[in-house]
Amino acid sequence: MRKRFSIPRLRAKADELLKWFYPGIGIKRWIGLAGFGIILVILGSVSLRADEYWVIRLCDTVLVISGIIILVLGIKRMVRSFITAFVPASKGTDLVDILYQRKQLGKGPKIVAVGGGTGLSVLLSGLKEYTSNITAIVTVADDGGSSGRLRQQFDMLPPGDIRNCLVALADASTLMRDLFQFRFDASSELGGHSFGNLFITVMTQLTGDFEKAIKETSKVLALRGQVIPSTLNNVVLVARHTDGSVTEGENKIPQARKPIERVSLKPDQSSATQEAIRAIQEAHLIVLGPGSLYTSIIPNLLIKEITDAIVASGAIKIYVCNVMTQPGETDKFSASEHIKALIKHSHPRIFDYCILNNGQISKDALKRYEKEFAYPVANDTRSITSMGYRAIEDDIIISEDVVRHDPGKLARIILSFIEEV
């Protein structure tokens, strides 16, 4: 039976078509330019066939070439107008950049990064320049600062480490990233809170679900990858010290300034998020760290499902060791002692390779860290090798006011392992 179109339906279709020519859309000029190019190509082609004199033919050839150039320019501008309507403003809006980001980065290796804090966000900012198939599995044991206050007041998971990773993977504008990291002045009622933490809190209230709030926030920031909490259980990190005393709370553990014997989660039977397990199973590379050993990396591995999934994975597994020791956590720790603590809380096959820094730290930076009782981590590679792991040493730091990993250098070293997959 033939489909009939009523007069109102035809008018609606005509109105939809006319919308393309509304002022301000920025598409009419490029449609007109492309149309003008087509006319030049047609006129030149017709004249080229009819004319017998070479001088006139040359002019017609120039006319055809000009028409082709104008046509290509018009089509390129049209496509760019369409794409930029759906892609947030970022570093550049050149068509080739957009296509590279969407296509080439989308074909990159699947990388899972496990940890929390600023160390993980530094790593993510480097990896996102090579692939958009990144999954950050982030600890939710934080209970200090803005995150701790929001966690207590709204009975929700802490948003701080999640926010840092979201911003690190964001493809949104610099202004948008700065907005999410903006922290209110201490003198105000919102003192100490970051805008990003408050945004995630509001999204959690609106959606009624912390995990869904992260996904919606990811859309706002146009992430190159995804950020997943390691668990949705409201966990508390507990440390048992070598003197037998116990400290509860991620924020209080370093403040105790006592050597740590072991850390655990309360409740101890916390379940992993299924998306985290799925990402680990599909990963080509799994990276642990960099970050606080006992309060950022190990809390994720205390969730048995995550550790079991990493051990069972056929991916290349890498541990990025910290550059400096951390007071109250890893005082006087060498690289091998970091590793011993890591496998003590998880499994010997939790990683295959260890990346260590051998770059020089400036004297001024060392003096500043010494005042806080923090020192460079000693690279005892022989001990690491005897444990069955391969140590990779390289200059991977930026030594300024704060000593941190160079995201670009670190990402390139990690990506070089992909050849072994």
Side-chain angles (χ1 to χ4, degrees):
M1 187 176 179
R2 184 178 297 178
K3 188 176 181 179
R4 294 183 178 179
F5 288 95
S6 62
I7 297 298
R9 182 175 296 179
L10 288 172
R11 286 177 178 172
K13 291 290 183 182
D15 288 341
E16 287 181 13
L17 184 62
L18 287 173
K19 284 181 180 178
W20 289 105
F21 298 94
Y22 281 4
I25 291 181
I27 198 75
K28 299 190 300 298
R29 71 195 71 174
W30 309 125
I31 294 175
L33 187 65
F36 181 60
I38 292 172
I39 292 171
L40 291 181
V41 171
I42 293 173
L43 291 176
S45 300
V46 171
S47 300
L48 196 60
R49 290 184 179 183
D51 294 327
E52 297 181 358
Y53 300 103
W54 70 268
V55 175
I56 300 177
R57 285 195 172 190
L58 181 61
C59 293
D60 293 335
T61 302
V62 171
L63 192 65
V64 171
I65 294 173
S66 300
I68 292 172
I69 293 173
I70 292 173
L71 175 61
V72 170
L73 180 62
I75 293 173
K76 178 182 175 182
R77 294 290 185 175
M78 269 195 294
V79 172
R80 180 176 174 179
S81 296
F82 281 122
I83 292 177
T84 52
F86 299 100
V87 179
S90 54
K91 294 178 183 178
T93 54
D94 285 341
L95 182 58
V96 65
D97 291 335
I98 295 169
L99 291 176
Y100 175 77
Q101 291 175 8
R102 295 297 179 185
K103 297 295 183 181
Q104 203 63 29
L105 296 182
K107 296 176 182 177
K110 295 180 179 180
I111 301 178
V112 168
V114 182
T118 56
L120 182 59
S121 60
V122 168
L123 170 66
L124 296 175
S125 65
L127 291 177
K128 77 173 184 179
E129 300 302 324
Y130 298 91
T131 177
S132 59
N133 295 317
I134 305 171
T135 299
I137 299 177
V138 186
T139 177
V140 288
D142 186 14
D143 58 4
S146 170
S147 289
R149 290 161 58 192
L150 293 171
R151 180 178 183 174
Q152 186 175 13
Q153 187 173 355
F154 294 97
D155 190 26
M156 60 178 285
L157 294 179
D161 286 352
I162 298 283
R163 182 201 77 245
N164 283 331
C165 293
L166 288 170
V167 172
L169 287 177
D171 197 27
S173 65
T174 303
L175 180 60
M176 181 64 77
R177 295 197 296 270
D178 291 343
L179 175 64
F180 266 71
Q181 294 291 56
F182 175 81
R183 197 168 293 274
F184 291 92
D185 187 82
S187 60
S188 70
E189 292 184 7
L190 296 175
H193 284 303
S194 71
F195 175 83
N197 284 358
L198 296 176
F199 186 92
I200 295 172
T201 301
V202 173
M203 290 298 293
T204 302
Q205 297 293 309
L206 289 175
T207 61
D209 183 86
F210 185 75
E211 195 172 19
K212 190 172 182 181
I214 295 171
K215 291 180 180 179
E216 294 302 319
T217 306
S218 299
K219 294 177 184 178
V220 173
L221 292 171
L223 252 60
R224 294 191 196 176
Q226 59 179 340
V227 177
I228 302 172
S230 55
T231 180
L232 294 176
N233 297 120
N234 199 351
V235 295
V236 176
L237 189 64
V238 181
R240 186 175 72 245
H241 302 283
T242 54
D243 64 357
S245 62
V246 174
T247 302
E248 287 195 12
E250 183 261 6
N251 189 51
K252 295 178 181 177
I253 291 172
Q255 296 175 5
R257 294 297 177 103
K258 296 179 181 180
I260 299 169
E261 173 65 27
R262 179 178 284 274
V263 293
S264 59
L265 292 179
K266 192 170 68 174
D268 58 356
Q269 297 297 324
S270 300
S271 57
T273 51
Q274 289 307 303
E275 287 191 25
I277 301 300
R278 190 181 305 112
I280 292 170
Q281 292 171 341
E282 297 175 355
H284 299 130
L285 292 167
I286 299 174
V287 186
L288 307 177
S292 301
L293 181 65
Y294 286 106
T295 55
S296 290
I297 302 173
I298 289 178
N300 297 291
L301 304 178
L302 294 175
I303 302 168
K304 189 175 183 300
E305 292 171 285
I306 289 180
T307 291
D308 290 347
I310 294 175
V311 171
S313 171
I316 296 293
K317 290 163 259 187
I318 306 161
Y319 169 55
V320 182
C321 188
N322 284 354
V323 177
M324 306 294 292
T325 61
Q326 290 185 276
E329 282 199 49
T330 56
D331 297 281
K332 300 180 181 179
F333 268 37
S334 65
S336 67
E337 287 174 309
H338 279 77
I339 291 172
K340 288 174 184 176
L342 199 62
I343 62 179
K344 178 180 179 180
H345 288 83
S346 56
H347 191 280
R349 293 269 62 87
I350 199 69
F351 69 92
D352 307 300
Y353 300 89
C354 178
I355 297 178
L356 307 170
N357 172 63
N358 63 7
Q360 292 294 317
I361 302 172
S362 69
K363 292 182 179 180
D364 290 339
L366 287 175
K367 288 179 181 178
R368 284 194 296 272
Y369 275 88
E370 284 177 7
K371 292 178 181 178
E372 300 175 2
F373 304 100
Y375 304 91
V377 173
N379 294 345
D380 50 346
T381 53
R382 185 173 296 180
S383 297
I384 295 171
T385 304
S386 67
M387 295 167 66
Y389 305 105
R390 182 181 170 188
I392 310 297
E393 293 186 78
D394 208 332
D395 180 359
I396 52 172
I397 61 164
I398 298 174
S399 180
E400 298 173 346
D401 292 336
V402 178
V403 178
R404 62 184 178 88
H405 287 88
D406 184 308
K409 290 180 180 179
L410 187 56
R412 285 191 290 272
I413 292 173
I414 290 171
L415 266 296
S416 68
F417 286 97
I418 201 66
E419 298 175 2
E420 302 185 30
V421 177

